[in-house]
Amino acid sequence: MSEEQGIYVFCGIQTEESPSFGKIHFEGQEREIYTVHYKDAAMVVTKVPMKIYHPSKDNLMMHQQVLSTVMGEMDTVIPISFGNMFHSEADVVALAESLYPQLEKIFPQIKGKIEVGLKVVGKKDWLEKNINKNDQVMKKKQVVHSKSEAAGYFDRIQLGEMAKNFFQALQSDIKSEIHEPLTPLAEAAQLNDPIGEKMLLNAAYLIDRDKEAEFDEMVNVLHDSWQDKVDFKYTGPWPAYNFINIRLKVEEPST
């Protein structure tokens, strides 16, 4: 008995044409990437065995590769998260129809725009140098080291709170001196929670493709000013993940 085939959805685009995006290696073979349409909304899809797909490194890279290909050819791309499967093309059409009131509003908002990400991570030596300048923190560290583990319990709690306040102050400085100069060059900006104890900024920016070079130049200027203190991780272009809020219903494979 042959395995049931389903439709895997990569992203949405605005077009009434049927563009070709080539093929992708997925589930052990080359599969055609094509579009399923409702009015001027098209879902970029491929046919694969109907099952739940796990977000392995290879699968995520495959998904992102398709989005990158589509972004290279289309100026209005709505990202869809990894793993969305539907039983048939008719289900995908029904999805596009149900989303269409949202898509009509979103299409003009993201037309010709891309997302870029900027993570700023403090360099270990610079962070240690700064925290060692804090007299209260250093005095508390001496108190903690002078006591037994049991006796210094509450001092360690206070030291942890001081360290937290120290990093929050640094994050506020980075927001003012790196994030805020970038926001006027973006159509929208999103601050996300830092990841890890040394990250001072985790931001996403929605920018016009025509202003990408200007935005890149400002990032380079800021990097040159801060390169002795922090590391920049500047990524993109991406579809507007942080600026679109669409939830899809994930179909369960039939049993």
Side-chain angles (χ1 to χ4, degrees):
M1 183 176 178
S2 63
E3 195 170 18
E4 180 189 0
Q5 295 293 294
I7 308 296
Y8 182 95
V9 181
F10 293 99
C11 60
I13 58 177
Q14 185 180 28
T15 183
E16 294 180 349
E17 300 176 355
S18 298
S20 174
F21 299 113
K23 295 183 178 181
I24 190 72
H25 190 78
F26 192 2
E27 278 297 289
Q29 69 181 66
E30 296 294 312
R31 300 178 188 275
E32 182 185 1
I33 304 165
Y34 65 102
T35 50
V36 175
H37 296 255
Y38 176 78
K39 295 185 178 180
D40 63 341
M43 295 293 166
V44 179
V45 305
T46 193
K47 291 181 180 178
V48 290
M50 188 69 200
K51 64 180 184 179
I52 295 174
Y53 291 93
H54 298 289
S56 66
K57 180 180 178 181
D58 287 344
N59 282 344
L60 291 172
M61 287 180 64
M62 175 277 304
H63 186 94
Q64 185 56 48
Q65 181 182 338
V66 173
L67 264 63
S68 296
T69 298
V70 175
M71 285 186 67
E73 300 184 28
M74 309 299 298
D75 63 0
T76 308
V77 180
I78 293 180
I80 292 174
S81 59
F82 173 85
N84 281 282
M85 285 289 301
F86 295 85
H87 286 287
S88 67
E89 290 183 4
D91 289 339
V92 177
V93 173
L95 167 72
E97 182 177 4
S98 68
L99 292 176
Y100 195 75
Q102 297 179 65
L103 300 179
E104 276 190 304
K105 296 177 181 177
I106 293 171
F107 281 149
Q109 293 172 359
I110 65 165
K111 183 178 177 65
K113 297 179 178 65
I114 57 173
E115 177 178 318
V116 293
L118 178 62
K119 294 178 173 65
V120 177
V121 179
K123 292 186 175 181
K124 183 179 179 181
D125 291 346
W126 178 71
L127 292 173
E128 289 180 352
K129 181 179 178 181
N130 271 269
I131 201 165
N132 289 340
K133 291 179 180 178
N134 188 305
D135 291 338
Q136 286 185 315
V137 171
M138 296 309 295
K139 288 178 181 177
K140 183 59 68 174
K141 285 177 73 173
Q142 291 175 354
V143 170
V144 168
H145 291 154
S146 69
K147 294 183 178 181
S148 67
E149 184 173 343
Y153 175 74
F154 289 107
D155 290 301
R156 287 198 303 277
I157 291 176
Q158 290 176 333
L159 180 61
E161 190 66 26
M162 287 179 179
K164 178 182 176 182
N165 292 338
F166 164 77
F167 277 99
Q168 286 178 341
L170 281 184
Q171 288 167 355
S172 179
D173 290 343
I174 294 294
K175 178 183 174 184
S176 298
E177 298 189 36
I178 295 178
H179 174 67
E180 290 180 4
L182 291 170
T183 54
L185 302 177
E187 298 293 320
Q190 173 72 42
L191 283 174
N192 298 314
D193 291 335
I195 304 167
E197 60 182 16
K198 294 191 293 182
M199 186 175 291
L200 303 174
L201 181 71
N202 183 12
Y205 306 90
L206 185 69
I207 60 176
D208 194 297
R209 287 178 186 266
D210 294 337
K211 294 184 178 179
E212 184 178 4
E214 183 181 0
F215 194 92
D216 289 351
E217 183 179 355
M218 177 58 76
V219 171
N220 289 332
V221 169
L222 293 168
H223 173 264
D224 290 345
S225 298
W226 284 82
Q227 61 181 333
D228 295 334
K229 304 172 183 177
V230 300
D231 292 317
F232 276 33
K233 185 178 181 182
Y234 184 46
T235 60
W238 309 107
Y241 285 107
N242 281 274
F243 304 95
I244 297 174
N245 184 23
I246 289 182
R247 297 290 181 182
L248 304 186
K249 182 180 184 299
V250 180
E251 297 288 341
E252 294 292 336
S254 61
T255 56

